[in-house]
Amino acid sequence: MAAYKDLFWWSRDNLRLHARDYAPADADAAAGRPPILCLPGLTRNARDFERLAERLCTDWRVIAVDFRGRGESAYARDPMSYAPLTYVQDVEALLEAIEAPRYVAFGTSLGGIVAMLLAGAARETLAGLLLNDVGPEIDPAGLARIRGYVGRASSWPTWVHAARALAESNADVYPDYQITDWIAMAKRLYRLTSAGRIVLDYDLKIAEPFRVPGNEAGPDMWRALDQVKGAPVLIVRGERSDILPAPVAERMVAEIPGAELVTVPRTGHAPTLDEPEAAPAIERLLARVAAAVPA
């Protein structure tokens, strides 16, 4: 297992935020290469990218972010700040803190929305982009499903109980998962309290702004996506996704010159990026990014 360092920085509204910082053991391995920022989904955290970061950190610096209200990041004083434009400001503050003039963004679901908005704000800083099961238009069915569970308190006595609950609610998303996969997923999503209960690892108040129609994204996401043109782009879609419709993914590829679309079979929202279809596509994306780095 690759080691990481805890990275902390401060938001503009004075919240202490956290990320996992995976750096190559050989400091020269990533010399000149932009860091990879891994931006998680709505209820996810930095642990979601653990296996991906361990795979890539031999040659790249990988920073897996806990958005405010998740994981080791502080909870917001104002729940209405749990919104994409605020997350963008938080990531901009991170980029300033690590003094990174350019970066590669890997965004899953909400993280992909944040990545598109980041690019729209400052395209010259984007060296490459992976959008994991998200695009400028979101399937209303998927939004309704997420609004149905986000922010609802749950707890379990053991990791096996938590895993079984995940299996019951997500069997159609990952139909080939075994109990060991569900336990691993539970340990990415939940945390163990001092009282010995397994609970959600996020502030339940993240649901408040998300339940307001229109707050799940930015004002014009197609315009934001247009700003990524010229950068290497990979779009990963779960075949069973109820968030990224196939026609939207195909339009994205058609409108972004050189973009690649990879569909992960028998998977819903969202792929883990470890799948045999996704992993080599990520290598191709990073090869394009590395080729553009001045010698």
Side-chain angles (χ1 to χ4, degrees):
M1 180 179 294
Y4 64 86
K5 294 181 179 179
D6 290 307
L7 172 63
F8 294 94
W9 78 101
W10 295 91
S11 70
R12 295 177 185 175
D13 56 347
N14 208 35
L15 290 182
R16 189 172 186 248
L17 304 178
H18 171 264
R20 288 184 171 189
D21 189 354
Y22 297 81
D26 179 358
D28 294 331
R33 292 183 172 183
I36 299 171
L37 297 187
C38 294
L39 308 174
L42 179 68
T43 63
R44 305 297 186 97
N45 56 66
R47 297 192 299 277
D48 231 22
F49 298 99
E50 184 174 63
R51 287 187 293 182
L52 174 72
E54 291 176 351
R55 192 171 76 239
L56 299 180
C57 71
T58 301
D59 301 303
W60 297 82
R61 182 183 184 187
V62 181
I63 299 174
V65 172
D66 282 332
F67 285 138
R68 59 174 57 207
R70 286 82 161 174
E72 300 301 314
S73 284
Y75 287 12
R77 302 174 185 86
D78 176 7
M80 295 310 290
S81 72
Y82 291 131
L85 292 177
T86 307
Y87 302 136
V88 168
Q89 293 176 350
D90 291 345
V91 176
E92 288 173 338
L94 168 61
L95 291 168
E96 292 174 6
I98 64 174
E99 299 181 339
R102 304 191 76 212
Y103 64 92
V104 180
F106 284 16
T108 294
S109 196
L110 168 65
I113 292 170
V114 173
M116 285 185 278
L117 293 172
L118 276 168
R123 163 64 187 86
E124 69 280 0
T125 64
L126 182 71
L129 175 64
L130 186 158
L131 294 174
N132 184 20
D133 213 56
V134 69
E137 295 179 26
I138 301 175
D139 192 322
L143 280 178
R145 175 180 60 82
I146 294 172
R147 288 194 176 105
Y149 71 76
V150 67
R152 292 188 175 182
S154 300
S155 71
W156 302 270
T158 70
W159 287 112
V160 171
H161 285 85
R164 287 175 177 166
L166 273 176
E168 289 175 4
S169 59
N170 291 276
D172 57 335
V173 178
Y174 306 108
D176 300 323
Y177 268 25
Q178 304 299 315
I179 187 61
T180 53
D181 300 305
W182 293 116
I183 290 174
M185 183 177 178
K187 289 185 176 182
R188 295 194 299 271
L189 287 172
Y190 308 139
R191 61 182 173 85
L192 178 64
T193 69
S194 58
R197 299 289 295 184
I198 312 297
V199 299
L200 298 165
D201 197 10
Y202 65 83
D203 183 356
L204 299 182
K205 292 181 180 179
I206 68 170
E208 293 185 20
F210 184 75
R211 286 178 176 150
V212 178
N215 275 2
E216 64 276 352
D220 187 348
M221 295 307 299
W222 281 109
R223 184 174 181 181
L225 184 68
D226 189 61
Q227 298 303 306
V228 312
K229 291 179 180 178
V233 175
L234 170 64
I235 301 158
V236 177
R237 178 181 180 271
E239 182 183 40
R240 299 183 172 202
S241 176
D242 63 353
I243 291 293
L244 177 58
V248 173
E250 291 162 5
R251 178 182 167 187
M252 292 164 69
V253 172
E255 294 198 6
I256 304 172
E260 180 180 4
L261 171 63
V262 170
T263 299
V264 178
R266 293 182 58 78
T267 298
H269 182 75
T272 64
L273 303 180
D274 296 315
E275 298 87 358
E277 296 79 16
I282 290 171
E283 295 296 335
R284 292 192 295 272
L285 172 70
L286 293 178
R288 293 173 62 192
V289 173
V293 174

